[in-house]
Amino acid sequence: RAAPDTLRRNVIFLQLETFRGWDMGYLRPDRAKSPTPFLDRLAADSQSAWWSRFLSFGPPTINGFMAGHCSVLPHSTQNISTTFTGTALQCLPAVARTHGWKTAYFTGSDPDWDNQTIWLRRWYDEVTFYPEANELDRTVFHEALGRIRALGRDSTPFFATVVSISNHYPFRSREPALDVTTGQTPAEAVLNTMHYTDDVVREFVDSLSREPWWGRTLLVIIGDHGYNLGEHDGTPGQRNGWRESVWVPLLIHGAHPRLVAGRHDEPASQLDLAPTVADLLGIRDTTPWLGWSLLASRPRTPELGVARGDVLFAESPQWSLVLDPGTAALHLYDPARDPLQREDQGSRFPAEATHLEQAIREQQMIWDYLVESDRVWFPRAGGP
């Protein structure tokens, strides 16, 4: 059941394109200069919670789109959004809508890409694409701002998603006056586009924070995926499971009695987004979600990860495992002591590496079967 109307909170969910944890100041305090000063300040706010080991499932964006909305793993070889459109899923905006939330989606990226449109129409009351924005985040967020203000003036709580797009490869500078580096390599250029989007989010949040309903609004910010720029395998663009490809931010800001502010170091992933937000909204529906609420006190015991094509990674409280897509070698790291995965422990602990690999491959095999056989979810008649 949902929380009483007087306690119902709005949700503004920002999905940020290619936001690598690898480059963010509050996740990388060793950096001399951060390209994300606003998000760094927001993370330090007394009403913000953030997760230091929050992982995506890597590129492409559709992996994060489905995982964040529906708490589902990617399929090992196919995109669920295009191949399994008849598979019944239970997804967060549709669940919120059944409990009285108005749902709206705003993007500057064509939602027909990877067949997102048919899914969005199932989950959201409104879907708005701004092709005239020419993939400029500033324009998209300005346009979304007006509609979100109108939603806030209504007595009905809302769930609004805004998707950024400017910070994608080859990371072309959008507002040169904001550039933080003159470097031309992608690893340098990404700092400029991240800084641009960070400033767009700053302007957006600063504007909405003056609204009378802001105090009953939760702001949820995640990255859709990272990007390999050669940090481990020396091959920019090749997909892998190292931190540069899968490590992204999760930051939740707002006044809520169950939201414990500050840093959280337990393993977490995009699978946990839907259960956590539903928990914050007071929704207690039975769902098939693979993740768990990060507000829950029980410890996570299973491993998380994915085996998709040549990409395999696994995460447990003690270890991080990465399969080298070029050599098929297993690399094992201590995430608490070595968050950037620079000291391979695989030769010292081969049994642990093998166990994690087998656990993820078995999990992936079961998940593929459930998706292919349409056994993820058996919806109620008339349900989402």
Side-chain angles (χ1 to χ4, degrees):
R1 61 184 178 84
D5 288 350
T6 55
L7 298 178
R8 288 188 172 190
R9 290 167 173 82
N10 307 310
V11 176
I12 297 176
F13 170 39
L14 305 185
Q15 178 184 298
L16 303 183
E17 170 71 29
T18 320
F19 251 63
R20 309 197 315 165
W22 191 273
D23 296 311
M24 300 187 70
Y26 77 91
L27 293 171
R28 287 286 308 276
D30 58 303
R31 297 189 67 91
K33 185 175 182 180
S34 169
T36 56
F38 174 72
L39 291 177
D40 299 343
R41 292 195 302 273
L42 190 64
D45 189 278
S46 62
Q47 290 188 340
S48 294
W50 58 277
W51 281 261
S52 65
R53 292 174 63 186
F54 186 72
L55 302 180
S56 71
F57 297 100
T61 293
I62 196 63
N63 291 345
F65 172 82
M66 298 300 292
H69 278 88
C70 308
S71 191
V72 297
L73 281 169
H75 187 273
S76 64
T77 61
Q78 306 294 322
N79 284 341
I80 293 174
S81 62
T82 55
T83 306
F84 303 108
T85 55
T87 296
L89 303 177
Q90 186 82 321
C91 303
L92 177 61
V95 171
R97 187 165 60 181
T98 65
H99 288 278
W101 270 261
K102 175 80 171 179
T103 57
Y105 186 92
F106 308 92
T107 182
S109 176
D110 190 344
D112 282 340
W113 191 258
D114 287 326
N115 205 39
Q116 295 175 26
T117 302
I118 65 169
W119 299 92
L120 291 171
R121 288 175 177 167
R122 295 173 184 175
W123 307 335
Y124 288 94
D125 298 304
E126 305 174 16
V127 178
T128 307
F129 167 42
Y130 302 105
E132 68 280 3
N134 195 28
E135 297 190 348
L136 290 174
D137 289 347
R138 185 89 62 190
T139 304
V140 172
F141 278 61
H142 277 174
E143 293 295 327
L145 200 59
R147 179 58 186 142
I148 291 173
R149 283 200 183 100
L151 289 170
R153 289 193 293 268
D154 196 306
S155 59
T156 303
F158 68 83
F159 183 107
T161 297
V162 187
V163 179
S164 79
I165 183 59
S166 296
N167 179 49
H168 63 76
Y169 189 87
F171 309 115
R172 177 170 56 89
S173 179
R174 303 297 180 162
E175 292 181 10
L178 291 174
D179 286 357
V180 294
T181 177
T182 58
Q184 299 300 307
T185 68
E188 295 167 313
V190 70
L191 304 180
N192 292 333
T193 49
M194 286 184 71
H195 186 231
Y196 163 75
T197 298
D198 180 80
D199 190 69
V200 170
V201 174
R202 174 199 61 76
E203 183 182 43
F204 177 83
V205 173
D206 284 352
S207 178
L208 288 180
S209 67
R210 296 189 287 271
E211 294 293 322
W213 43 263
W214 181 253
R216 54 183 175 88
T217 299
L218 296 169
L219 176 67
V220 181
I221 301 174
I222 71 162
D224 64 345
H225 57 73
Y227 200 87
N228 170 24
L229 293 174
E231 287 82 358
H232 279 87
D233 60 17
T235 310
Q238 184 184 55
R239 291 178 182 172
N240 62 41
W242 274 293
R243 282 294 193 261
E244 57 268 24
S245 295
V246 302
W247 185 24
V248 296
L250 169 61
L251 192 160
I252 303 177
H253 174 81
H256 195 290
R258 297 199 61 216
L259 184 65
V260 178
R263 173 174 175 156
H264 299 263
D265 291 324
E266 67 268 27
S269 79
Q270 289 168 332
L271 299 178
D272 303 320
L273 181 67
T276 301
V277 174
D279 194 352
L280 286 166
L281 296 181
I283 296 173
R284 302 291 183 263
D285 289 7
T286 300
T287 68
W289 291 339
L290 299 181
W292 69 308
S293 171
L294 296 174
L295 311 180
S297 58
R298 60 184 176 84
R300 175 193 289 279
T301 51
E303 299 84 3
L304 68 89
V306 74
R308 177 175 167 81
D310 293 333
V311 175
L312 183 147
F313 74 88
E315 197 84 6
S316 71
Q318 185 178 2
W319 298 109
S320 296
L321 176 79
V322 180
L323 176 76
D324 188 317
T327 67
L330 295 175
H331 300 273
L332 192 69
Y333 305 94
D334 178 346
R337 193 172 57 85
D338 181 24
L340 300 183
Q341 299 175 324
R342 289 170 170 161
E343 300 176 19
D344 185 10
Q345 305 292 316
S347 61
R348 295 182 58 200
F349 302 98
E352 284 81 353
T354 300
H355 165 75
L356 279 173
E357 181 193 21
Q358 291 177 343
I360 293 305
R361 291 198 183 279
E362 290 173 5
Q363 171 186 278
Q364 189 70 57
M365 180 177 63
I366 294 169
W367 175 248
D368 284 359
Y369 167 75
L370 293 173
V371 173
E372 293 165 9
S373 61
D374 191 12
R375 298 190 179 205
V376 176
W377 177 240
F378 301 95
R380 300 184 304 270

